[in-house]
Amino acid sequence: MYDVVIVGAGYAGSSLSGQLEKLKDVLVIDEKGVGEKSTSISSFLKILDDEVVLNEYDEYTIMTVDGESYTYEFDEPVLGLVDYKKLCERAVSHDVHRARVEEYGDGYVKLSDGEVIRAKVVVDCTGVYGQKLRARFGLPSPPFRVSLSFAEIENGGSGIRSNSLYLIVGHANLGGWIYPVDNTKSEFGFAQGSRKGEAEFPELGQVAETMGFRMHKDTTIKRSEYAFGFVKKVVRGSVVLFGDSCGLVHPTYIMGIHYIHRFAPILAEHVAGYLRGEKTSLEKYQRLWREALKRAADNIARGYAIWDLPVDEQIRVTKVQIRAGIKPESILDHMWAFDEKFQVFAKNPPKLWDFPLRLYLNYIRHRLSFTFR
């Protein structure tokens, strides 16, 4: 019997494996291997090893598909484009068994070939692909299923600066991004979310042309999916949800690496406590998670309120932010925050009536949801 079986070898599973490195009886299972998910990711340089950083950014630019933009300049590079596979490979500390999981429950994981692996603790890090596993065992999945399309565009003549990370609002309901790789090319993509099963993959060619970008001559369009939206119940018996499986992604900026970096050692500590005989340790983690969500309710509600708007109203809200001239330090504090308090300082603070009424109604709905339920 294993102490822990981690299902999924993306960053969540790999990072948790690294935090449990002192335990020998840990098995990581992933059908494709370590860090094989096709994705486009940025994060904070202060939590990344130099070896996994493809490019560094000392600017952040927010822009709309119809051409308005605002750039926040920082004193030094603070964000970076991530080599996801290398990030996961450097984090994982245990053997990874390539197999497909058909079912899991208290004390076991069942593989597609019928093999049953016994474990004292099972951690689901499968993300969007584990919806059926969670449903079968009676655990929730994040409410949004998100489809990503991304490819490479040429920087020449586009106005793209290789030292700036770009967030695009418009075209798809969870926005888009530009992550410059170097002076010649950038990763360019959009995300479409749906509460009703699979979302359509966003089209890239036409929107790139409309925005004045040229697809790179050697590019191919890549597609991927992920889960979005926090779930409140993450523990049932000796099974725990972690990473995308519990929606551990920033509610506004859709960044998850730094959240996983924060919570992996906390979860590892509670798993280790459970293995030492502290039978309520996983229940304590559930309570800790629920209390963290309550403290983060304002931050969560602000993000979800925006992404729940129709795309045209998202663009309107973004243009209000652009005119506000928010200080770069406030942007960084917001990007980093989970349940931490942060303040937003702006040169031209907006008026309440600058925003659509639906934004406030969305905010109230989500705020109440994460505060009282």
Side-chain angles (χ1 to χ4, degrees):
M1 173 180 282
Y2 286 94
D3 285 334
V4 184
V5 170
I6 300 170
V7 185
Y11 183 62
S14 298
S15 181
L16 182 60
S17 167
Q19 293 296 325
L20 294 171
E21 62 180 343
K22 293 182 180 179
L23 299 178
K24 294 182 179 179
D25 293 328
V26 176
L27 179 66
V28 183
I29 302 175
D30 194 291
E31 184 176 5
K32 296 182 178 179
V34 180
E36 289 293 341
K37 184 175 182 178
S38 179
T39 191
S40 178
I41 287 182
S42 64
S43 193
F44 287 85
L45 292 175
K46 62 183 178 181
I47 65 168
L48 300 173
D49 294 333
D50 291 343
E51 291 79 1
V52 306
V53 177
L54 299 172
N55 194 19
E56 298 182 350
Y57 310 121
D58 60 11
E59 294 181 357
Y60 163 71
T61 300
I62 186 168
M63 64 190 304
T64 61
V65 290
D66 60 2
E68 289 202 31
S69 66
Y70 190 88
T71 296
Y72 304 90
E73 299 178 356
F74 311 119
D75 294 334
E76 60 183 0
V78 292
L79 300 165
L81 177 63
V82 177
D83 183 327
Y84 184 70
K85 181 173 176 59
K86 188 175 291 185
L87 175 73
C88 297
E89 289 175 340
R90 290 180 62 85
V92 71
S93 294
H94 300 92
D95 292 337
V96 178
H97 179 52
R98 296 187 61 172
R100 182 160 59 91
V101 173
E102 287 289 333
E103 180 183 329
Y104 61 61
D106 277 322
Y108 76 94
V109 171
K110 182 179 179 181
L111 305 183
S112 59
D113 63 2
E115 180 184 0
V116 175
I117 299 173
R118 301 293 175 182
K120 298 174 184 175
V121 177
V122 176
V123 184
D124 177 344
C125 298
T126 59
V128 70
Y129 303 109
Q131 287 182 330
K132 291 182 179 179
L133 295 175
R134 292 186 288 276
R136 190 175 292 126
F137 183 61
L139 279 169
S141 286
F144 276 94
R145 189 178 181 107
V146 181
S147 296
L148 312 178
S149 299
F150 55 99
E152 289 185 343
I153 56 174
E154 297 178 0
N155 290 354
S158 66
I160 296 173
R161 299 179 302 280
S162 63
N163 63 317
S164 185
L165 177 153
Y166 297 77
L167 173 66
I168 308 170
V169 177
H171 181 58
N173 66 359
L174 287 176
W177 66 94
I178 300 173
Y179 298 154
V181 179
D182 51 35
N183 290 325
T184 65
K185 61 185 179 182
S186 298
E187 293 184 6
F188 169 76
F190 281 88
Q192 181 74 25
S194 173
R195 293 180 183 270
K196 302 176 182 179
E198 295 184 6
E200 292 185 7
F201 288 97
E203 184 276 335
L204 292 184
Q206 185 175 351
V207 70
E209 183 177 347
T210 300
M211 296 181 71
F213 303 141
R214 293 192 305 273
M215 304 296 281
H216 194 276
K217 60 183 178 65
D218 296 324
T219 196
T220 57
I221 295 178
K222 299 178 182 179
R223 294 183 171 89
S224 186
E225 294 180 288
Y226 71 91
F228 179 60
F230 291 103
V231 300
K232 299 165 192 174
K233 184 173 180 58
V234 295
V235 176
R236 182 183 177 193
S238 59
V239 177
V240 187
L241 306 183
F242 187 55
D244 282 4
S245 295
C246 63
L248 195 52
V249 178
H250 196 290
T252 301
Y253 296 97
I254 324 293
M255 301 166 67
I257 297 298
H258 66 298
Y259 279 4
I260 293 170
H261 177 84
R262 170 183 169 174
F263 276 92
I266 299 173
L267 176 55
E269 178 182 348
H270 284 79
V271 168
Y274 182 83
L275 295 173
R276 289 194 300 267
E278 300 169 16
K279 295 303 181 184
T280 62
S281 188
L282 296 183
E283 296 172 10
K284 289 179 180 178
Y285 179 77
Q286 170 64 67
R287 290 195 294 271
L288 179 152
W289 172 256
R290 188 66 188 90
E291 289 303 314
L293 288 182
K294 288 182 180 179
R295 291 192 301 271
D298 183 70
N299 188 24
I300 295 170
R302 288 174 183 270
Y304 290 1
I306 293 172
W307 296 124
D308 269 352
L309 292 172
V311 170
D312 61 332
E313 292 188 357
Q314 291 179 15
I315 293 174
R316 174 183 167 185
V317 170
T318 302
K319 291 181 178 180
V320 172
Q321 177 180 330
I322 288 172
R323 292 193 294 270
I326 298 172
K327 291 188 176 181
E329 296 80 6
S330 295
I331 294 294
L332 278 184
D333 288 346
H334 187 196
M335 280 186 180
W336 180 261
F338 181 78
D339 57 351
E340 300 91 338
K341 298 294 184 182
F342 63 93
Q343 291 182 297
V344 177
F345 298 98
K347 297 177 183 177
N348 307 299
K351 304 294 191 297
L352 289 175
W353 52 84
D354 290 335
F355 298 102
L357 175 61
R358 191 169 359 213
L359 180 70
Y360 296 107
L361 297 177
N362 287 348
Y363 170 81
I364 292 169
R365 174 167 53 88
H366 290 297
R367 187 71 163 81
L368 292 174
S369 173
F370 280 92
T371 301
F372 296 112
R373 292 183 185 177

